[in-house]
Amino acid sequence: MQELLLKKISKMNRLLILGVGLLLVSVYFLPIWHISLDAPQYPEGLGMRIWIDKITGSSPYDLQNINLLNHYIGMHEIVSESVPELLFMPYVLGFLIFGAFVTFLHPKVYLVILGILNIIILGILGMYDFWRWEYNYGHNLNPDAPIVVPGMAYQPPLLGCKEMLNITACSFPSWGGIILFVSLGILVFVIWSEKRRIDVTK
Amino acid sequence: MILIGLGYGCKNGAATAALASDAAKRVYVAPGEKDEVYAFLSGGFSGQMSVYGIPSTRLFKIIPVFSVFPENGYGYDEETKNMLRTTHGYVPWDDSHHIEASMTDGKQDGRWLFLNANNTPRLARIDLRSFETKEIIEIPNSAGNHASPFATENTEYLMAATRFSVPIPQASVPIENFSKGDFKGTVSMVKVDPKSGRLSLELQILVPGFDYDLSHCGKGKSHDWCFFTSYNSEQAYKMIEVGASKNDKDYILAFNWVRAKQCLDQGKASNFGGEYYRNYLPENQPAISEKLSGVKMLQPKDCPGVMYYMPTPKSPHGTDVDPTGEYIVGGGKLATVIPVHSFSKLMEVKDKPEHRSGTIMDIPILKYESTLAGEVKKPCLGPLHTEFDGKGYAYTSCFVSSEVVKWELGTWEVEQHLPAYYSVGHLSIVGGSSKDPYGKYLIALNKITKDRYLPVGMELPQSAQLYDISGGKAELLSDFPTVGEPHYSQMIPAKLLMDKAAKIYPLEENKHPYAIKNEKDARVVREGNTVRVYMTQIRSHFKPDTIEVRSGDTVFFHVTNLEQDFDIPHGFAVGGAPEMPNLLIMPGQTRTFKWKAPKPGIYPFYCTDFCSALHQEMQQYIRVLP
């Protein structure tokens, strides 16, 4: 085990790690998550994108229109400013990219494992945080709202689709999220291939 | 006998039903599906333009152009009332006949439509992004702007000619002087800015005092020319019905607009009087009304080669140029043939003295046979207008015999008679007046419709009929009632327009001087006896929501709709307001409701366009203090 942890990784895998670092840079420019709302009265659909540092509509005015719909049920207005996590998320991503470059310069397997753990921990924390925001938005409704449906909550799904009144809400990773998953996959592949090289030489 | 009768009746009925159900399928557009073609129909005496889907013939919209429209406040509010300003004052109605589509290289380009106003000579530009009237220019030195607005191949110019010849400049002369040459007509060249579409009057040409009826401009080889029909070459001024129907031939005026422009550039046109208004509606701002005066006027004698008369039987009405630009088809209201002139022959003979039979005001009259390409013999009674399918066939409407006649260009043989119900005027084929017809549908625009629909009092619905012309034989598919008299139409393939249609006015681009973009800026500002209310609307409330003014105040409600969602206009109306109707304010738009505060009391104001679940709650109060 110790042999694997301290092993210097191959040139090919080293380049893959560099690739992960560069790939992760694109996450600054791509949405991580996407929530879409479909309803008969919105034939073109409404959507929201969650980026590393902001929340926007899928088209320029979607967020404003989602908020206008939500105000009937007393949901708080969704604005980037109300989510403080978005302030430090770019730094967390920067830390991951920094880690990739460090691993490229100091190519040891244990650093790759550290990277995997970082992504998994951040992923779990991120998803939990996302769920918590969804829960709060969906449950903490203004009691003075024009429409109050007793017992009704409007929490969108964490992953997948859900019917809420006549609206189908779907929540899936977007390109940025997919890149995070792909990065994780590449790192796991690197460990697997290093392990395999040890096994072959034995 | 009864059995036979029944059997015959059933058989016949079944055949009709089968045909009807087949036609029904071809015009059926299922829920959620879209029509293939936009049809823009002028509203005749309604002064408006209406938008239909083809083949379903569903009415989508009425675009107000020359007449006020209480439904959305066009012509009433502070933003649009300047659009209807003329030298005669504010004219809130007109009689609009001909729709022209903007073209590039002779093909529809889906940017603008143009419409004429006959009564108070004007010409309008409608933007096909917003489907709104953006500009109206008045035509001076004209009485009855009928032969208008016909565009040149690249929409360089729109042509406009006088229907009623009058003394130019206007003067009170004895009416019998009409036949002594005191009455004149004009042909106007209105320049269209290729980028912005802005209109300007570049040149007028003084022409003999006939009645100029219709026009079409050339294409391809005849690019430089436009053709105008004229009637009453007799210059009758009493019982014109008889007096103007005496001559066996009247004229099509062939006008070389490129030559006219040359003569203008060479300084051959002189300064002439004439005042006119030009009204322009910038995007989401109040209309700007400018009063302009003076035009450049060209006399045909000073510009040889600018005009020729082609004799055409008898009281010609329509003049239509085929897609190749070679054939100029005349529609003689009282003629028994459809005469077709050849552009090539016109070019060949126009300057040869042996082909001339005289001159009028120095305009050469050519001999009828010299420019004739052929005649369609005995086609029908009262041939009027012709459109082309792009496959070598022409379709001519016949008013008196109520039919559409299909005939072949070149052979001049009639192929088919199609009955029309009843008294057809103009025809329209998709792209049929352009270089590139999309010859699938034809509509016959009927002037009189008897007993086709449920009776609704003395005035029966105006109507149009849809034919499929894609196969060998044209077939009637359906008929449908229309708004006003459906005078002329342009049909445009949907794919050219639908994706370009604007959905909202972006709030950040709103440059209206009284716009506010945030509820926080909503306020009431008093300036002496004038009160300005800077108001916002969003589902489902107004800000400010309670207002106090004093009796006699002039109150301007500058209302901005903060929505940025497709199809969420809000309405605005004040109870009992005597001078203003409703306003419909589009998402991101600012419009102004002017109100003279009446006697003290409480006056409700509310949203009139059902906007949301709480639309009915979108209502507030104004208190008028003594």
Side-chain angles (χ1 to χ4, degrees):
Chain A
M1 188 64 189
Q2 202 179 359
E3 185 192 358
L4 177 66
L5 288 180
L6 294 174
K7 185 169 185 299
K8 187 166 186 229
I9 62 180
S10 71
K11 195 177 169 194
M12 175 67 199
N13 283 338
R14 215 180 135 197
L15 284 174
L16 274 178
I17 302 284
L18 181 67
V20 165
L22 294 173
L23 196 60
L24 285 175
V25 173
S26 68
V27 176
Y28 283 111
F29 309 103
L30 293 168
I32 294 171
W33 213 266
H34 183 251
I35 297 177
S36 67
L37 304 174
D38 276 307
Q41 72 271 33
Y42 277 93
E44 295 167 330
L46 283 172
M48 250 170 68
R49 287 173 181 166
I50 300 161
W51 305 65
I52 195 78
D53 60 344
K54 65 186 174 201
I55 301 171
T56 67
S58 294
S59 68
Y61 307 106
D62 275 11
L63 196 59
Q64 175 177 346
N65 293 324
I66 290 169
N67 283 326
L68 273 168
L69 285 180
N70 288 346
H71 100 273
Y72 290 112
I73 52 165
M75 191 184 278
H76 291 286
E77 200 181 338
I78 302 170
V79 282
S80 305
E81 292 76 43
S82 66
V83 184
E85 287 86 331
L86 297 172
L87 289 176
F88 63 80
M89 284 292 279
Y91 298 102
V92 173
L93 180 64
F95 171 70
L96 289 179
I97 295 166
F98 177 72
F101 292 137
V102 167
T103 311
F104 173 70
L105 296 172
H106 182 68
K108 294 286 172 153
V109 168
Y110 73 90
L111 279 179
V112 180
I113 291 178
L114 215 58
I116 290 175
L117 290 176
N118 276 339
I119 294 182
I120 290 175
I121 290 166
L122 285 169
I124 290 171
L125 282 177
M127 291 299 279
Y128 169 73
D129 193 52
F130 180 41
W131 177 84
R132 201 173 56 93
W133 276 109
E134 285 187 335
Y135 182 90
N136 286 337
Y137 269 118
H139 288 80
N140 292 340
L141 304 171
N142 182 351
D144 290 336
I147 301 173
V148 176
V149 182
M152 182 72 190
Y154 301 93
Q155 182 181 355
L158 192 62
L159 185 70
C161 293
K162 184 176 163 188
E163 300 277 330
M164 294 188 293
L165 302 180
N166 75 333
I167 293 173
T168 307
C170 291
S171 172
F172 287 105
S174 190
W175 290 111
I178 290 166
I179 284 170
L180 284 168
F181 278 112
V182 169
S183 303
L184 186 64
I186 293 172
L187 296 184
V188 171
F189 169 79
V190 167
I191 303 293
W192 175 79
S193 83
E194 292 301 330
K195 171 101 179 18
R196 192 156 168 271
R197 275 175 57 214
I198 291 174
D199 294 347
V200 170
T201 49
K202 274 178 188 168
Chain B
M1 214 39 199
I2 293 167
L3 280 175
I4 294 167
L6 274 176
Y8 178 76
C10 286
K11 208 171 143 196
N12 203 15
T16 314
L19 185 71
S21 84
D22 179 52
K25 256 188 238 165
R26 281 143 72 189
V27 299
Y28 181 66
V29 177
E33 299 287 309
K34 293 188 167 65
D35 277 286
E36 195 177 334
V37 166
Y38 284 96
F40 297 91
L41 274 61
S42 62
F45 51 78
S46 84
Q48 317 290 41
M49 180 188 285
S50 46
V51 187
Y52 290 81
I54 299 294
S56 73
T57 70
R58 295 176 294 192
L59 171 64
F60 295 149
K61 186 174 192 165
I62 298 171
I63 303 172
V65 185
F66 293 113
S67 297
V68 291
F69 200 48
E71 182 178 310
N72 72 358
Y74 177 84
Y76 292 94
D77 72 339
E78 297 304 294
E79 283 73 20
T80 59
K81 68 180 188 189
N82 273 347
M83 292 297 281
L84 301 178
R85 188 150 298 195
T86 74
T87 52
H88 302 271
Y90 171 84
V91 180
W93 164 84
D94 220 300
D95 178 21
S96 56
H97 289 185
H98 308 119
I99 297 184
E100 184 76 306
S102 62
M103 290 180 289
T104 302
D105 189 29
K107 294 171 188 165
Q108 293 174 331
D109 58 25
R111 293 187 293 168
W112 309 297
L113 291 172
F114 305 98
L115 182 64
N116 71 323
N118 181 51
N119 178 277
T120 306
R122 286 175 279 180
L123 199 157
R125 175 170 56 89
I126 292 95
D127 188 301
L128 284 175
R129 272 187 79 248
S130 60
F131 288 63
E132 287 171 345
T133 305
K134 289 294 185 191
E135 191 165 11
I136 293 180
I137 189 168
E138 192 180 358
I139 311 287
N141 306 316
S142 174
N145 177 40
H146 195 272
S148 163
F150 293 92
T152 54
E153 198 171 352
N154 289 300
T155 324
E156 294 99 335
Y157 291 97
L158 299 169
M159 298 296 159
T162 324
R163 170 169 167 191
F164 311 109
S165 282
V166 288
I168 293 175
Q170 265 288 12
S172 173
V173 301
I175 294 173
E176 49 272 26
N177 286 15
F178 192 162
S179 46
K180 293 177 191 154
D182 279 8
F183 287 43
K184 291 281 188 297
T186 50
V187 170
S188 305
M189 287 169 60
V190 176
K191 192 173 161 61
V192 183
D193 184 276
K195 288 230 160 56
S196 64
R198 292 298 310 273
L199 304 173
S200 54
L201 180 58
E202 190 163 280
L203 179 66
Q204 293 193 310
I205 301 100
L206 201 66
V207 289
F210 305 156
D211 295 85
Y212 293 86
D213 205 7
L214 272 151
S215 169
H216 262 104
C217 291
K219 38 199 97 134
K221 57 180 148 183
S222 52
H223 168 270
D224 296 3
W225 296 76
C226 292
F227 305 93
F228 297 80
T229 47
S230 58
Y231 60 97
N232 196 14
S233 56
E234 299 86 345
Q235 298 193 316
Y237 55 91
K238 277 181 168 176
M239 267 307 277
I240 294 177
E241 180 187 16
V242 177
S245 304
K246 292 214 160 98
N247 288 351
D248 183 47
K249 304 233 174 10
D250 291 289
Y251 302 109
I252 287 179
L253 175 69
F255 166 50
N256 186 331
W257 60 269
V258 173
R259 174 84 185 118
K261 168 78 173 133
Q262 252 173 27
C263 292
L264 171 71
D265 294 343
Q266 291 163 1
K268 291 183 177 162
S270 52
N271 290 327
F272 200 86
E275 296 192 318
Y276 62 105
Y277 269 88
R278 181 171 60 179
N279 310 320
Y280 168 59
L281 188 63
E283 189 92 328
N284 206 356
Q285 288 173 58
I288 298 161
S289 202
E290 300 167 88
K291 191 178 184 186
L292 303 167
S293 70
V295 294
K296 287 284 182 189
M297 184 72 80
L298 186 67
Q299 308 271 355
K301 69 175 164 55
D302 299 328
C303 186
V306 73
M307 284 174 171
Y308 299 87
Y309 275 120
M310 300 191 288
T312 302
K314 176 175 184 179
S315 296
H317 186 55
T319 169
D320 299 281
V321 182
D322 87 306
T324 66
E326 166 64 11
Y327 296 122
I328 302 129
V329 182
K333 297 193 287 280
L334 312 173
T336 52
V337 297
I338 301 173
V340 183
H341 295 283
S342 154
F343 179 74
S344 317
K345 284 193 173 176
L346 169 68
M347 289 302 99
E348 207 180 296
V349 306
K350 66 184 172 59
D351 296 317
K352 294 183 177 155
E354 67 271 26
H355 290 286
R356 293 185 182 175
S357 65
T359 60
I360 308 169
M361 263 180 75
D362 293 296
I363 302 168
I365 304 168
L366 304 173
K367 289 180 179 159
Y368 176 57
E369 290 75 17
S370 297
T371 58
L372 195 70
E375 286 176 337
V376 183
K377 306 276 187 204
K378 293 189 182 166
C380 58
L381 293 179
L384 294 184
H385 303 284
T386 302
E387 293 253 319
F388 306 91
D389 67 357
K391 297 171 224 160
Y393 293 97
Y395 292 78
T396 300
S397 61
C398 304
F399 182 81
V400 180
S401 56
S402 267
E403 61 185 324
V404 177
V405 177
K406 177 183 178 182
W407 51 275
E408 194 175 8
L409 285 155
T411 68
W412 326 118
E413 293 293 327
V414 172
E415 293 278 323
Q416 194 184 355
H417 290 268
L418 281 155
Y421 305 86
Y422 293 70
S423 301
V424 55
H426 277 271
L427 296 173
S428 178
I429 286 177
V430 189
S433 61
S434 76
K435 223 171 160 179
D436 186 27
Y438 167 93
K440 182 163 176 190
Y441 296 111
L442 175 145
I443 51 177
L445 302 159
N446 297 340
K447 296 187 170 296
I448 302 168
T449 304
K450 294 191 180 72
D451 69 19
R452 292 292 278 183
Y453 311 107
L454 291 173
V456 287
M458 282 71 77
E459 194 206 0
L460 289 168
Q462 304 277 331
S463 130
Q465 294 186 301
L466 174 70
Y467 299 83
D468 182 335
I469 56 164
S470 59
K473 291 267 179 218
E475 288 174 81
L476 176 64
L477 294 180
S478 71
D479 49 13
F480 59 104
T482 60
V483 178
E485 183 214 331
H487 196 93
Y488 186 43
S489 145
Q490 287 285 334
M491 293 203 282
I492 301 180
K495 60 178 188 320
L496 202 58
L497 299 184
M498 59 181 282
D499 297 330
K500 290 195 294 193
K503 296 184 169 178
I504 57 163
Y505 282 111
L507 205 52
E508 66 271 18
E509 290 170 20
N510 181 335
K511 294 192 178 68
H512 192 288
Y514 294 105
I516 50 170
K517 300 181 184 182
N518 200 306
E519 284 192 352
K520 289 195 292 257
D521 300 327
R523 62 194 188 273
V524 179
V525 177
R526 174 172 287 281
E527 302 157 358
N529 289 330
T530 298
V531 177
R532 293 193 184 273
V533 183
Y534 293 78
M535 181 177 273
T536 62
Q537 301 175 302
I538 200 155
R539 278 163 280 179
S540 314
H541 61 270
F542 297 92
K543 278 276 166 75
D545 51 5
T546 57
I547 296 162
E548 286 187 3
V549 296
R550 285 196 290 267
S551 181
D553 282 344
T554 300
V555 185
F556 291 97
F557 297 92
H558 300 293
V559 191
T560 303
N561 179 348
L562 294 180
E563 305 278 353
Q564 295 285 269
D565 196 0
F566 196 13
D567 199 36
I568 307 285
H570 289 293
F572 183 86
V574 177
E579 283 157 13
M580 281 288 292
N582 181 43
L583 286 187
L584 276 185
I585 303 152
M586 297 303 123
Q589 192 182 33
T590 304
R591 293 183 72 178
T592 303
F593 191 100
K594 185 180 172 185
W595 190 60
K596 189 94 173 159
K599 64 182 180 187
I602 297 290
Y603 296 85
F605 64 96
Y606 65 105
C607 173
T608 53
D609 186 4
F610 204 103
C611 58
S612 69
L614 297 172
H615 161 72
Q616 213 59 359
E617 282 75 3
M618 198 164 167
Q619 59 175 55
Q620 308 295 345
Y621 295 104
I622 311 158
R623 179 184 178 192
V624 177
L625 300 158

